[in-house]
Amino acid sequence: MVNIAQCNIELNRIGVAKQWLLKSIRRDSYNDEAYYLLGECYAKDGIWYNAINAYHKAIDIETRREEYYLGLAKAYVAVEDYNKATINFQKATETGPEETLYWREYASFLVKLGLYDEALQVLDEADEHTYGTDLVYCRAAALYLSKDKEECMFLLEDALPEDYASHTIIFDLAPEIRLDKEIWAMVKYYKEE
């Protein structure tokens, strides 16, 4: 039932997925994945408090799944409970420190709040556990926003030839970079290579 629900989520048939998940939970109330996917369904529908409850139930059953903490963190961001979001971003990175996704999401959250120094600290910690150009792009955006354009450009010189496709991260985090002629010229240069 959970697999059927997951397929329906992928097909964006959220109502059908919820029905399968609720059937699954009635049969086995200790299925953490069913609760997690139910949280994902509620999140897609923007029903944030139901999503939070479902994620909590999944975590109560299984505490070692970093994606559960990430889902919960994002739900808390949606309801503007940034303290609880921070706690859950931290738990996601502690549970899955080798995955860049969790560090990127945490750093991006901090950058969007304007907490550039904190974001850079998170990225420093990430460097101890993993590497990814997505994290380099996050660092570049945080540096640019904290007025260190020179270091930002230095990082972009390394990241753009390595993984050009992920460069949109910098524009998502710092849209004003599009107006910087030097950086825009660098991005265009590596696009042509």
Side-chain angles (χ1 to χ4, degrees):
M1 285 188 244
V2 171
N3 289 337
I4 293 170
Q6 194 163 15
C7 290
N8 279 290
I9 291 170
E10 292 296 319
L11 295 170
N12 207 29
R13 294 168 36 187
I14 305 304
V16 175
K18 278 188 211 173
Q19 289 173 352
W20 282 105
L21 291 167
L22 292 171
K23 281 182 190 177
S24 171
I25 290 168
R26 278 194 296 274
R27 284 204 163 164
D28 177 10
S29 62
Y30 291 99
N31 187 331
D32 56 289
E33 198 166 338
Y35 283 112
Y36 166 71
L37 291 173
L38 186 60
E40 293 287 282
C41 289
Y42 285 128
K44 284 183 182 285
D45 285 344
I47 306 171
W48 296 110
Y49 289 103
N50 287 4
I52 288 168
N53 288 334
Y55 291 133
H56 273 295
K57 286 179 181 177
I59 290 168
D60 287 344
I61 297 166
E62 176 56 66
T63 61
R64 301 295 307 158
R65 298 282 298 268
E66 54 272 14
E67 65 269 28
Y68 297 2
Y69 292 110
L70 180 63
L72 185 57
K74 287 180 171 185
Y76 278 126
V77 169
V79 297
E80 298 180 5
D81 190 337
Y82 300 132
N83 290 331
K84 288 182 181 175
T86 300
I87 290 166
N88 285 286
F89 278 120
Q90 287 171 341
K91 286 182 180 179
T93 59
E94 289 166 8
T95 309
E98 69 287 343
E99 295 289 330
T100 61
L101 168 68
Y102 305 107
W103 295 103
R104 181 180 73 231
E105 291 284 345
Y106 189 11
S108 297
F109 160 70
L110 294 169
V111 166
K112 288 174 183 173
L113 288 181
L115 302 171
Y116 311 128
D117 291 337
E118 289 84 347
L120 291 168
Q121 288 174 356
V122 165
L123 292 167
D124 288 342
E125 188 179 345
D127 285 345
E128 297 171 16
H129 301 283
T130 190
Y131 172 81
T133 52
D134 54 342
L135 300 180
V136 176
Y137 285 123
C138 283
R139 184 180 297 278
L143 287 166
Y144 183 85
L145 291 167
S146 60
K147 309 296 184 223
D148 191 348
K149 179 180 170 182
E150 187 176 320
E151 186 66 22
C152 169
M153 290 187 68
F154 176 76
L155 290 174
L156 289 176
E157 280 183 62
D158 287 340
L160 285 165
E162 188 175 332
D163 181 11
Y164 180 82
S166 297
H167 81 279
T168 56
I169 292 169
I170 59 172
F171 299 128
D172 293 340
L173 294 177
E176 56 269 34
I177 288 180
R178 289 185 191 276
L179 303 176
D180 190 297
K181 290 179 181 174
E182 284 180 273
I183 292 178
W184 190 245
M186 183 187 295
V187 169
K188 283 176 58 178
Y189 172 79
Y190 284 106
K191 179 182 181 182
E192 293 168 5
E193 279 194 356

